[in-house]
C-alpha cells in the first residue's frame, strides 16, 4: 500500500505539479497557468505558522497531498485543510479514502481533536467528504467579498 510522509518546502515542485494536474482538469477547471501565482499559493499554505502537509507516495511518486495548518483552540488543536487531492489516474480506486484514514491516524498521534475543511456543494468532493465521515456544519457560514 502507498506510504504517507510529511512534506516540506523541498517537495514544492512535486506538490505544485500534482496540484496543477488535478485542479486544472474537470470538474474544477481552475486556471493555474500563472506558475508564479501557483508557487506563491503553495508557499502561503506551507509557510503558515503551524503548517502540516502530508503526502501519499506510491513507488516513490507523490500521488496525494493534504495541505493545511494547525490551529490551537479552547477545545484542542484543530487541523484546517486548505487543499486535498489525489492523482487523477488514481481517483475512484479508494486512494482518497485510504489517504484520509492514514491522515486521521497521523492526526490522532499528534492529539489533533478536529479536522475542518471547505468545499463546494456542487463538486464531487462534497459527496466524497460526506462518505469519508465529515459532517456538514449547518450553522457555519462562509462569506466572500470580491474587491477587484
Amino acid at each position: 500500500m502507498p506510504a504517507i510522509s510529511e512534506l516540506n518546502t523541498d517537495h514544492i515542485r512535486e506538490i505544485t505539479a500534482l496540484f496543477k494536474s488535478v485542479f486544472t482538469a474537470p470538474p474544477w477547471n481552475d486556471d493555474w497557468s500563472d506558475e508564479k501565482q501557483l508557487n506563491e499559493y503553495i508557499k502561503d499554505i506551507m509557510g503558515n505558522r503551524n503548517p502540516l502537509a502530508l503526502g501519499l507516495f506510491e513507488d516513490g511518486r507523490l500521488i496525494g497531498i493534504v495541505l493545511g495548518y494547525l490551529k490551537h483552540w479552547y477545545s484542542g488543536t484543530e487541523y484546517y485543510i486548505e487543499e486535498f487531492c489525489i492523482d487523477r489516474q488514481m481517483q475512484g480506486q479508494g486512494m482518497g479514502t485510504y489517504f484520509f484514514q492514514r491522515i486521521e491516524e497521523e492526526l490522532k498521534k499528534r492529539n489533533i481533536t478536529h479536522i475542518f475543511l471547505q468545499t463546494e456543494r456542487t463538486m464531487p468532493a462534497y459527496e466524497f467528504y460526506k462518505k469519508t465521515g465529515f459532517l456538514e456544519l449547518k450553522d457555519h457560514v462562509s462569506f466572500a467579498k470580491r474587491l477587484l
Side-chain angles (χ1 to χ4, degrees):
M1 288 306 280
I4 188 173
S5 179
E6 192 159 346
L7 301 173
N8 58 45
T9 53
D10 294 340
H11 299 99
I12 287 204
R13 185 180 241 157
E14 293 171 277
I15 292 167
T16 56
L18 177 58
F19 181 89
K20 185 175 182 179
S21 74
V22 171
F23 290 109
T24 58
W28 296 276
N29 299 311
D30 293 339
D31 180 5
W32 284 107
S33 57
D34 184 337
E35 296 286 331
K36 184 177 185 288
Q37 191 74 358
L38 174 58
N39 282 321
E40 292 301 317
Y41 176 65
I42 299 299
K43 286 187 216 172
D44 284 345
I45 298 171
M46 296 187 73
N48 210 300
R49 183 172 177 272
N50 294 309
L52 180 56
L54 300 171
L56 186 65
F57 290 86
E58 185 171 68
D59 299 325
R61 185 172 70 90
L62 184 64
I63 63 167
I65 56 172
V66 62
L67 307 176
Y69 62 94
L70 302 177
K71 181 176 175 182
H72 298 89
W73 193 240
Y74 73 90
S75 59
T77 304
E78 303 167 341
Y79 184 44
Y80 281 74
I81 295 176
E82 292 290 333
E83 298 294 346
F84 174 84
C85 68
I86 297 291
D87 185 291
R88 289 184 8 243
Q89 280 70 27
M90 306 298 284
Q91 291 176 12
Q93 300 175 30
M95 284 298 156
T97 302
Y98 172 77
F99 191 20
F100 252 109
Q101 289 168 347
R102 299 295 309 278
I103 291 165
E104 289 179 20
E105 290 170 9
E106 183 63 30
L107 295 176
K108 286 176 185 175
K109 287 182 203 171
R110 297 173 186 229
N111 294 315
I112 307 301
T113 59
H114 294 85
I115 301 173
F116 288 94
L117 58 83
Q118 292 182 307
T119 194
E120 294 178 30
R121 194 174 273 115
T122 58
M123 291 293 177
Y126 176 80
E127 292 301 326
F128 168 76
Y129 291 127
K130 284 176 55 177
K131 180 186 85 169
T132 310
F134 284 84
L135 302 174
E136 185 174 351
L137 300 176
K138 301 291 184 194
D139 292 334
H140 184 84
V141 178
S142 294
F143 286 99
K145 185 176 189 178
R146 186 169 177 89
L147 299 177
L148 296 176

